[in-house]
Amino acid sequence: MGARDTAASAMVVAAVGMGLLVPSLTVLSLAHAPTGRQGYASSAIQTNQNLGQILVLGVASAVFNAFLGAGSDDHVGYAAAFGLLLVPGTWPPRSPPGPAGR
């Protein structure tokens, strides 16, 4: 499998993951937003998604280029960058905050 095939496979996995999670999280967040404040919640979601994507892309690109600069094969660089992208998925979920006053 060539480097382009590996990159294409990684992009398909990422697209499926985003397609399954992002709409659900957006709907859930907006459902819990106070009445009349959904616009604020929506813009906060959008801003955080954009900042997160920029941060992740920058770090993954730095890792990929670091491996290539060290003389590694393309596959090793792709594997390291993709492995880095899997790290947030392995973090344990936080429990939701309890009701106020408890």
Coordinates of all heavy atoms in Angstrom, one line a residue:
M1 N 0.9 -1.2 0.0 CA 0.0 0.0 0.0 C 0.9 1.2 0.0 O 1.8 1.3 0.8 CB -0.9 0.0 1.2 CG -1.9 1.1 1.3 SD -2.8 1.3 2.8 CE -4.0 0.0 2.7
G2 N 0.6 2.2 -0.9 CA 1.5 3.3 -1.0 C 1.1 4.4 0.0 O 0.1 4.3 0.8
A3 N 1.9 5.4 0.1 CA 1.7 6.5 1.0 C 0.3 7.2 0.8 O -0.4 7.6 1.7 CB 2.8 7.5 1.0
R4 N 0.0 7.3 -0.5 CA -1.3 8.0 -0.8 C -2.5 7.1 -0.4 O -3.5 7.7 0.1 CB -1.4 8.3 -2.3 CG -0.5 9.4 -2.7 CD -0.6 9.7 -4.2 NE 0.3 10.6 -4.6 CZ 0.1 11.7 -5.4 NH1 -1.1 11.9 -5.8 NH2 1.0 12.5 -5.7
D5 N -2.3 5.8 -0.5 CA -3.4 4.9 -0.1 C -3.6 5.0 1.4 O -4.7 5.0 1.9 CB -3.1 3.5 -0.5 CG -3.2 3.3 -2.0 OD1 -3.8 4.1 -2.7 OD2 -2.5 2.4 -2.5
T6 N -2.5 5.1 2.1 CA -2.5 5.2 3.6 C -3.2 6.5 4.0 O -4.0 6.5 4.9 CB -1.1 5.1 4.2 OG1 -0.5 3.9 3.8 CG2 -1.2 5.1 5.7
A7 N -2.8 7.6 3.4 CA -3.4 8.9 3.7 C -4.9 8.9 3.4 O -5.7 9.4 4.2 CB -2.7 10.0 3.0
A8 N -5.3 8.3 2.3 CA -6.7 8.2 1.9 C -7.5 7.4 2.9 O -8.6 7.8 3.3 CB -6.8 7.7 0.5
S9 N -6.9 6.3 3.3 CA -7.6 5.5 4.3 C -7.8 6.2 5.6 O -8.9 6.1 6.3 CB -6.8 4.2 4.6 OG -6.7 3.4 3.4
A10 N -6.8 6.9 6.0 CA -6.8 7.7 7.3 C -7.9 8.8 7.2 O -8.6 9.0 8.1 CB -5.5 8.3 7.6
M11 N -8.0 9.4 6.0 CA -9.0 10.5 5.8 C -10.4 9.9 5.9 O -11.3 10.5 6.4 CB -8.7 11.2 4.5 CG -7.5 12.1 4.7 SD -6.9 13.0 3.2 CE -8.3 13.2 2.1
V12 N -10.6 8.7 5.3 CA -11.9 8.1 5.3 C -12.3 7.8 6.8 O -13.5 8.1 7.2 CB -11.9 6.8 4.5 CG1 -13.2 6.0 4.7 CG2 -11.8 7.2 3.0
V13 N -11.4 7.2 7.6 CA -11.7 6.9 9.0 C -12.0 8.2 9.7 O -13.0 8.2 10.5 CB -10.5 6.2 9.6 CG1 -10.7 6.1 11.1 CG2 -10.3 4.8 9.0
A14 N -11.2 9.3 9.5 CA -11.5 10.5 10.2 C -12.9 11.1 9.8 O -13.6 11.6 10.6 CB -10.4 11.5 9.9
A15 N -13.2 11.0 8.5 CA -14.5 11.6 8.0 C -15.6 10.8 8.6 O -16.6 11.4 9.0 CB -14.5 11.5 6.5
V16 N -15.5 9.5 8.7 CA -16.6 8.7 9.3 C -16.8 9.1 10.7 O -17.9 9.3 11.2 CB -16.4 7.2 9.1 CG1 -17.3 6.4 9.9 CG2 -16.5 6.8 7.6
G17 N -15.7 9.2 11.4 CA -15.7 9.5 12.9 C -16.4 10.9 13.1 O -17.2 11.1 14.0
M18 N -16.0 11.9 12.3 CA -16.5 13.2 12.4 C -18.0 13.2 12.0 O -18.8 13.9 12.7 CB -15.8 14.2 11.6 CG -14.4 14.6 12.2 SD -13.6 15.9 11.3 CE -13.2 15.1 9.7
G19 N -18.4 12.5 11.0 CA -19.7 12.4 10.6 C -20.7 11.8 11.6 O -21.8 12.2 11.7
L20 N -20.1 10.9 12.4 CA -21.0 10.2 13.4 C -21.1 11.1 14.7 O -22.1 11.1 15.3 CB -20.4 8.9 13.7 CG -20.5 7.8 12.6 CD1 -19.8 6.5 13.0 CD2 -22.0 7.5 12.3
L21 N -20.0 11.7 15.1 CA -19.9 12.4 16.4 C -20.4 13.9 16.3 O -21.1 14.3 17.2 CB -18.5 12.3 17.0 CG -18.1 10.9 17.3 CD1 -16.7 10.9 17.8 CD2 -19.0 10.3 18.4
V22 N -19.9 14.6 15.4 CA -20.1 16.1 15.4 C -21.6 16.4 15.4 O -22.0 17.2 16.2 CB -19.3 16.8 14.3 CG1 -19.7 18.2 14.2 CG2 -17.8 16.6 14.5
P23 N -22.4 15.9 14.5 CA -23.9 16.3 14.6 C -24.5 15.9 15.9 O -25.3 16.7 16.4 CB -24.5 15.5 13.4 CG -23.4 15.2 12.5 CD -22.2 15.0 13.4
S24 N -24.2 14.8 16.4 CA -24.8 14.3 17.7 C -24.4 15.3 18.8 O -25.2 15.7 19.7 CB -24.4 12.9 18.1 OG -24.7 12.0 17.1
L25 N -23.1 15.6 18.9 CA -22.7 16.5 20.0 C -23.3 17.9 19.8 O -23.6 18.6 20.8 CB -21.1 16.6 20.0 CG -20.4 15.3 20.4 CD1 -18.9 15.5 20.2 CD2 -20.8 15.0 21.8
T26 N -23.4 18.4 18.6 CA -24.0 19.7 18.3 C -25.5 19.7 18.8 O -25.9 20.7 19.5 CB -23.9 20.1 16.8 OG1 -22.5 20.0 16.5 CG2 -24.4 21.4 16.6
V27 N -26.2 18.7 18.4 CA -27.6 18.7 18.8 C -27.8 18.6 20.3 O -28.6 19.3 20.9 CB -28.3 17.5 18.1 CG1 -29.7 17.2 18.7 CG2 -28.4 17.7 16.6
L28 N -26.9 17.8 20.9 CA -27.0 17.6 22.4 C -26.6 18.9 23.1 O -27.3 19.3 24.0 CB -26.0 16.5 22.8 CG -26.0 16.2 24.3 CD1 -27.3 15.7 24.8 CD2 -24.8 15.2 24.6
S29 N -25.6 19.6 22.6 CA -25.2 20.9 23.2 C -26.3 21.9 23.1 O -26.6 22.7 24.0 CB -23.9 21.4 22.6 OG -22.9 20.5 22.8
L30 N -26.9 22.0 21.9 CA -27.9 23.0 21.7 C -29.2 22.7 22.5 O -29.9 23.6 22.9 CB -28.2 23.1 20.2 CG -27.1 23.8 19.3 CD1 -27.5 23.7 17.9 CD2 -26.8 25.2 19.8
A31 N -29.4 21.4 22.7 CA -30.6 21.0 23.5 C -30.5 21.5 24.9 O -31.5 21.7 25.6 CB -30.8 19.5 23.4
H32 N -29.2 21.5 25.4 CA -29.0 21.9 26.8 C -28.7 23.4 27.0 O -28.5 23.8 28.1 CB -27.8 21.1 27.4 CG -28.2 19.6 27.6 ND1 -29.0 19.2 28.6 CD2 -27.9 18.5 26.9 CE1 -29.2 17.9 28.6 NE2 -28.5 17.5 27.5
A33 N -28.7 24.1 25.9 CA -28.4 25.6 26.0 C -29.7 26.3 26.5 O -30.8 25.8 26.2 CB -28.1 26.1 24.6
P34 N -29.5 27.3 27.3 CA -30.7 28.0 27.8 C -31.5 28.6 26.6 O -31.0 29.0 25.6 CB -30.2 29.1 28.6 CG -28.8 28.7 29.0 CD -28.3 27.8 27.8
T35 N -32.8 28.7 26.8 CA -33.7 29.3 25.8 C -33.2 30.7 25.4 O -32.9 31.5 26.3 CB -35.1 29.3 26.3 OG1 -35.5 28.0 26.6 CG2 -36.1 29.9 25.2
G36 N -33.1 31.0 24.1 CA -32.7 32.3 23.7 C -31.2 32.4 23.6 O -30.7 33.4 23.2
R37 N -30.4 31.4 24.0 CA -28.9 31.5 24.0 C -28.3 30.4 23.1 O -27.1 30.2 23.1 CB -28.4 31.2 25.4 CG -28.9 32.1 26.5 CD -28.3 33.5 26.5 NE -26.9 33.3 26.9 CZ -26.1 34.4 27.0 NH1 -26.5 35.6 26.9 NH2 -24.8 34.2 27.3
Q38 N -29.2 29.8 22.2 CA -28.7 28.8 21.3 C -27.7 29.4 20.3 O -26.7 28.7 19.9 CB -29.8 28.1 20.6 CG -30.6 27.1 21.4 CD -31.8 27.8 22.1 OE1 -32.0 29.0 21.9 NE2 -32.6 27.1 22.8
G39 N -27.8 30.6 19.9 CA -26.9 31.3 19.0 C -25.5 31.4 19.6 O -24.5 31.1 19.0
Y40 N -25.5 31.7 20.9 CA -24.2 31.8 21.6 C -23.5 30.4 21.7 O -22.3 30.2 21.5 CB -24.3 32.4 23.0 CG -24.7 33.8 23.0 CD1 -26.0 34.2 23.4 CD2 -23.8 34.8 22.7 CE1 -26.4 35.5 23.4 CE2 -24.2 36.2 22.7 CZ -25.5 36.5 23.1 OH -25.8 37.8 23.1
A41 N -24.4 29.4 22.0 CA -23.8 28.1 22.2 C -23.3 27.6 20.8 O -22.3 26.9 20.7 CB -24.9 27.1 22.7
S42 N -24.1 27.8 19.8 CA -23.7 27.4 18.4 C -22.4 28.0 18.0 O -21.5 27.4 17.5 CB -24.8 27.7 17.4 OG -24.4 27.4 16.1
S43 N -22.2 29.3 18.3 CA -21.0 30.0 17.9 C -19.8 29.5 18.7 O -18.7 29.4 18.2 CB -21.1 31.5 17.9 OG -21.3 31.9 19.3
A44 N -20.0 29.2 20.0 CA -19.0 28.7 20.8 C -18.5 27.3 20.3 O -17.3 27.0 20.3 CB -19.4 28.6 22.3
I45 N -19.5 26.5 19.9 CA -19.2 25.1 19.4 C -18.3 25.3 18.1 O -17.3 24.6 18.0 CB -20.5 24.3 19.1 CG1 -21.2 24.0 20.4 CG2 -20.2 23.1 18.3 CD1 -22.6 23.5 20.2
Q46 N -18.8 26.1 17.2 CA -18.1 26.3 16.0 C -16.7 26.8 16.2 O -15.7 26.4 15.6 CB -18.9 27.3 15.1 CG -18.5 27.3 13.7 CD -19.3 26.3 12.9 OE1 -20.5 26.4 13.0 NE2 -18.7 25.4 12.2
T47 N -16.5 27.8 17.1 CA -15.2 28.4 17.4 C -14.3 27.3 17.9 O -13.1 27.2 17.5 CB -15.3 29.6 18.3 OG1 -16.1 30.6 17.7 CG2 -13.9 30.2 18.6
N48 N -14.8 26.5 18.9 CA -13.9 25.5 19.5 C -13.6 24.4 18.5 O -12.5 23.9 18.6 CB -14.6 24.9 20.7 CG -14.6 25.8 21.9 OD1 -13.5 26.5 22.1 ND2 -15.6 25.9 22.7
Q49 N -14.5 24.0 17.6 CA -14.2 23.0 16.6 C -13.1 23.5 15.7 O -12.1 22.8 15.4 CB -15.4 22.7 15.8 CG -16.4 21.8 16.5 CD -17.7 21.6 15.7 OE1 -17.9 22.3 14.7 NE2 -18.5 20.6 16.1
N50 N -13.2 24.8 15.3 CA -12.1 25.3 14.4 C -10.8 25.4 15.1 O -9.8 25.1 14.5 CB -12.6 26.7 13.9 CG -13.7 26.6 12.9 OD1 -13.9 25.6 12.3 ND2 -14.5 27.7 12.8
L51 N -10.8 25.9 16.3 CA -9.5 26.0 17.0 C -8.9 24.6 17.3 O -7.7 24.4 17.2 CB -9.7 26.7 18.3 CG -10.0 28.2 18.2 CD1 -10.3 28.8 19.6 CD2 -8.8 29.0 17.6
G52 N -9.7 23.7 17.6 CA -9.3 22.3 17.8 C -8.7 21.7 16.5 O -7.6 21.0 16.6
Q53 N -9.3 21.9 15.4 CA -8.9 21.4 14.1 C -7.5 22.0 13.8 O -6.6 21.3 13.3 CB -9.9 21.6 13.0 CG -11.1 20.8 13.2 CD -12.2 21.2 12.2 OE1 -12.1 22.2 11.5 NE2 -13.3 20.4 12.2
I54 N -7.4 23.3 14.0 CA -6.1 24.0 13.7 C -5.0 23.4 14.6 O -3.9 23.1 14.1 CB -6.3 25.5 13.9 CG1 -7.2 26.1 12.8 CG2 -4.9 26.2 13.9 CD1 -7.6 27.5 13.0
L55 N -5.3 23.3 15.8 CA -4.3 22.7 16.8 C -3.9 21.3 16.4 O -2.7 21.0 16.3 CB -4.8 22.8 18.2 CG -3.9 22.2 19.3 CD1 -2.7 23.2 19.5 CD2 -4.6 22.1 20.6
V56 N -4.8 20.5 16.2 CA -4.5 19.1 15.9 C -3.8 18.9 14.5 O -2.8 18.2 14.4 CB -5.8 18.2 15.8 CG1 -5.6 16.9 15.2 CG2 -6.4 18.1 17.2
L57 N -4.2 19.7 13.5 CA -3.5 19.7 12.3 C -2.1 20.1 12.4 O -1.2 19.6 11.8 CB -4.3 20.5 11.2 CG -3.7 20.5 9.8 CD1 -3.7 19.1 9.2 CD2 -4.5 21.4 8.9
G58 N -1.9 21.2 13.1 CA -0.5 21.7 13.3 C 0.4 20.7 14.0 O 1.5 20.5 13.6
V59 N -0.1 20.1 15.1 CA 0.7 19.2 15.9 C 1.0 17.9 15.0 O 2.1 17.4 15.0 CB 0.0 18.8 17.2 CG1 0.7 17.7 17.9 CG2 0.0 20.0 18.1
A60 N 0.0 17.4 14.4 CA 0.1 16.2 13.5 C 1.1 16.5 12.4 O 2.0 15.6 12.1 CB -1.2 15.7 13.0
S61 N 1.0 17.7 11.8 CA 2.0 18.0 10.7 C 3.4 18.1 11.3 O 4.4 17.7 10.6 CB 1.6 19.3 10.1 OG 0.3 19.2 9.5
A62 N 3.6 18.7 12.5 CA 4.9 18.8 13.1 C 5.5 17.4 13.3 O 6.7 17.1 13.1 CB 4.8 19.6 14.3
V63 N 4.6 16.5 13.9 CA 5.1 15.1 14.1 C 5.5 14.4 12.8 O 6.5 13.8 12.7 CB 4.0 14.3 14.9 CG1 4.3 12.8 14.9 CG2 3.9 14.9 16.3
F64 N 4.6 14.6 11.8 CA 4.9 13.9 10.5 C 6.2 14.4 10.0 O 7.1 13.7 9.5 CB 3.8 14.2 9.6 CG 4.0 13.7 8.2 CD1 3.9 12.3 7.9 CD2 4.2 14.5 7.1 CE1 4.1 11.8 6.7 CE2 4.4 14.0 5.8 CZ 4.4 12.7 5.6
N65 N 6.4 15.8 10.0 CA 7.7 16.3 9.4 C 8.9 16.0 10.3 O 10.0 15.9 9.7 CB 7.5 17.8 9.2 CG 6.7 18.2 8.0 OD1 6.8 17.6 7.0 ND2 5.7 19.1 8.2
A66 N 8.7 15.9 11.6 CA 9.8 15.5 12.4 C 10.3 14.1 12.1 O 11.5 13.8 12.0 CB 9.4 15.6 13.9
F67 N 9.4 13.2 11.8 CA 9.8 11.8 11.5 C 10.4 11.8 10.1 O 11.4 11.1 9.9 CB 8.6 10.9 11.5 CG 8.3 10.3 12.9 CD1 7.5 10.9 13.8 CD2 8.9 9.1 13.2 CE1 7.3 10.4 15.0 CE2 8.7 8.5 14.5 CZ 7.9 9.2 15.4
L68 N 9.9 12.6 9.2 CA 10.5 12.6 7.8 C 11.9 13.3 7.9 O 12.8 12.8 7.2 CB 9.6 13.4 6.8 CG 8.3 12.7 6.5 CD1 7.6 13.5 5.4 CD2 8.5 11.3 6.0
G69 N 12.0 14.3 8.7 CA 13.3 15.0 8.9 C 14.4 14.1 9.5 O 15.6 14.2 9.3
A70 N 13.9 13.1 10.3 CA 14.8 12.2 11.0 C 15.2 11.1 10.0 O 16.0 10.2 10.4 CB 14.2 11.6 12.2
G71 N 14.7 11.1 8.8 CA 15.1 10.1 7.8 C 14.2 8.9 7.8 O 14.5 7.8 7.2
S72 N 13.0 8.9 8.5 CA 12.1 7.8 8.5 C 11.4 7.7 7.1 O 11.3 8.7 6.4 CB 11.1 8.0 9.6 OG 11.7 8.0 10.8
D73 N 10.8 6.5 6.9 CA 10.0 6.3 5.7 C 8.7 7.1 5.9 O 8.2 7.4 7.0 CB 9.7 4.8 5.6 CG 9.1 4.4 4.3 OD1 9.3 5.1 3.3 OD2 8.3 3.4 4.3
D74 N 8.0 7.3 4.7 CA 6.7 8.0 4.8 C 5.7 7.3 5.6 O 4.9 7.9 6.4 CB 6.1 8.1 3.3 CG 6.8 9.2 2.5 OD1 7.6 9.9 3.1 OD2 6.5 9.2 1.3
H75 N 5.7 5.9 5.6 CA 4.8 5.1 6.4 C 4.9 5.4 7.8 O 3.9 5.4 8.6 CB 4.9 3.6 6.1 CG 4.6 3.3 4.6 ND1 3.6 3.8 3.9 CD2 5.3 2.5 3.8 CE1 3.5 3.3 2.7 NE2 4.6 2.5 2.6
V76 N 6.1 5.5 8.3 CA 6.4 5.7 9.7 C 5.9 7.1 10.1 O 5.2 7.3 11.2 CB 7.9 5.6 10.0 CG1 8.2 6.0 11.5 CG2 8.4 4.2 9.7
G77 N 6.1 8.1 9.3 CA 5.6 9.5 9.5 C 4.0 9.5 9.6 O 3.4 10.1 10.5
Y78 N 3.4 8.8 8.6 CA 1.9 8.7 8.6 C 1.4 8.0 9.9 O 0.4 8.4 10.5 CB 1.4 8.0 7.4 CG 1.4 8.9 6.2 CD1 2.1 8.6 5.0 CD2 0.6 10.1 6.1 CE1 2.1 9.4 3.9 CE2 0.6 10.9 5.0 CZ 1.4 10.6 3.9 OH 1.3 11.4 2.8
A79 N 2.1 6.9 10.2 CA 1.7 6.1 11.4 C 1.8 6.9 12.7 O 0.9 6.9 13.5 CB 2.5 4.8 11.5
A80 N 2.9 7.7 12.8 CA 3.1 8.5 14.0 C 2.0 9.6 14.1 O 1.4 9.8 15.1 CB 4.5 9.1 14.0
A81 N 1.8 10.3 13.0 CA 0.8 11.3 12.9 C -0.6 10.8 13.2 O -1.4 11.4 14.0 CB 0.8 12.1 11.6
F82 N -1.0 9.6 12.6 CA -2.3 9.0 12.8 C -2.4 8.5 14.3 O -3.5 8.7 14.9 CB -2.5 7.9 11.8 CG -3.9 7.4 11.9 CD1 -5.0 8.1 11.4 CD2 -4.2 6.1 12.4 CE1 -6.3 7.6 11.5 CE2 -5.5 5.6 12.4 CZ -6.5 6.4 12.0
G83 N -1.3 8.0 14.8 CA -1.3 7.5 16.2 C -1.6 8.7 17.1 O -2.3 8.5 18.1
L84 N -1.0 9.8 16.8 CA -1.2 11.0 17.6 C -2.7 11.4 17.6 O -3.2 11.9 18.6 CB -0.3 12.1 17.1 CG -0.4 13.5 17.9 CD1 0.1 13.3 19.3 CD2 0.3 14.5 17.1
L85 N -3.3 11.3 16.5 CA -4.7 11.7 16.3 C -5.6 10.7 17.1 O -6.7 11.1 17.4 CB -5.1 11.7 14.9 CG -4.4 12.8 14.0 CD1 -4.8 12.6 12.5 CD2 -4.6 14.2 14.5
L86 N -5.2 9.5 17.4 CA -6.0 8.6 18.1 C -5.9 8.8 19.6 O -6.8 8.3 20.3 CB -5.5 7.1 17.8 CG -5.8 6.6 16.4 CD1 -5.2 5.2 16.2 CD2 -7.2 6.6 16.1
V87 N -4.9 9.5 20.1 CA -4.7 9.7 21.5 C -6.0 10.3 22.2 O -6.4 9.8 23.2 CB -3.5 10.6 21.8 CG1 -3.4 11.0 23.3 CG2 -2.2 9.8 21.4
P88 N -6.6 11.4 21.7 CA -7.8 11.9 22.4 C -8.9 10.9 22.5 O -9.7 10.9 23.5 CB -8.2 13.1 21.5 CG -7.0 13.5 20.8 CD -6.2 12.2 20.6
G89 N -9.0 10.0 21.6 CA -10.0 9.0 21.7 C -9.8 7.9 22.8 O -10.7 7.2 23.1
T90 N -8.6 7.9 23.3 CA -8.3 6.9 24.3 C -8.4 7.5 25.7 O -8.3 6.8 26.7 CB -6.9 6.3 24.2 OG1 -5.9 7.4 24.3 CG2 -6.7 5.7 22.8
W91 N -8.6 8.8 25.8 CA -8.8 9.4 27.1 C -10.1 8.9 27.8 O -11.1 8.8 27.1 CB -8.8 10.9 27.0 CG -7.5 11.5 26.7 CD1 -6.3 11.0 26.8 CD2 -7.3 12.9 26.2 NE1 -5.3 11.8 26.4 CE2 -5.9 13.0 26.0 CE3 -8.1 13.9 25.9 CZ2 -5.3 14.2 25.6 CZ3 -7.5 15.1 25.5 CH2 -6.2 15.2 25.3
P92 N -10.0 8.7 29.1 CA -11.3 8.3 29.7 C -12.3 9.5 29.7 O -11.9 10.6 29.9 CB -10.9 8.0 31.1 CG -9.6 8.6 31.4 CD -9.0 8.8 30.0
P93 N -13.6 9.1 29.5 CA -14.6 10.2 29.5 C -14.8 10.8 30.9 O -14.6 10.1 31.9 CB -15.9 9.5 29.0 CG -15.6 8.1 29.4 CD -14.1 7.8 29.3
R94 N -15.0 12.1 30.9 CA -15.3 12.8 32.1 C -16.8 12.6 32.5 O -17.6 12.6 31.6 CB -15.0 14.3 32.0 CG -13.6 14.6 31.8 CD -13.3 16.1 31.7 NE -14.5 16.9 31.5 CZ -14.5 18.2 31.3 NH1 -13.3 18.8 31.3 NH2 -15.6 18.9 31.2
S95 N -17.0 12.4 33.8 CA -18.4 12.3 34.2 C -19.0 13.7 34.1 O -18.4 14.7 34.4 CB -18.5 11.7 35.6 OG -17.8 12.5 36.5
P96 N -20.3 13.8 33.8 CA -20.9 15.1 33.7 C -21.1 15.7 35.1 O -21.2 15.0 36.1 CB -22.3 14.8 33.1 CG -22.5 13.4 33.3 CD -21.2 12.8 33.4
P97 N -21.0 17.1 35.1 CA -21.2 17.7 36.4 C -22.6 17.4 37.0 O -23.5 17.3 36.3 CB -21.0 19.2 36.1 CG -21.2 19.3 34.7 CD -20.9 18.0 34.1
G98 N -22.6 17.3 38.3 CA -23.9 17.0 39.0 C -24.8 18.3 39.0 O -24.3 19.4 38.6
P99 N -26.0 18.1 39.4 CA -26.9 19.3 39.5 C -26.4 20.3 40.5 O -25.7 20.0 41.5 CB -28.2 18.7 40.0 CG -28.1 17.2 40.0 CD -26.6 16.9 39.8
A100 N -26.7 21.6 40.2 CA -26.3 22.6 41.1 C -26.9 22.5 42.5 O -28.0 22.1 42.6 CB -26.6 24.0 40.5
G101 N -26.1 22.8 43.5 CA -26.6 22.7 44.9 C -26.4 21.4 45.5 O -26.8 21.2 46.7
R102 N -25.9 20.4 44.9 CA -25.6 19.1 45.5 C -24.2 19.0 45.9 O -23.3 19.4 45.4 CB -26.0 18.0 44.5 CG -27.4 17.7 44.5 CD -27.7 16.4 43.8 NE -29.1 16.1 43.9 CZ -29.6 15.1 43.3 NH1 -28.8 14.2 42.7 NH2 -30.9 14.9 43.4

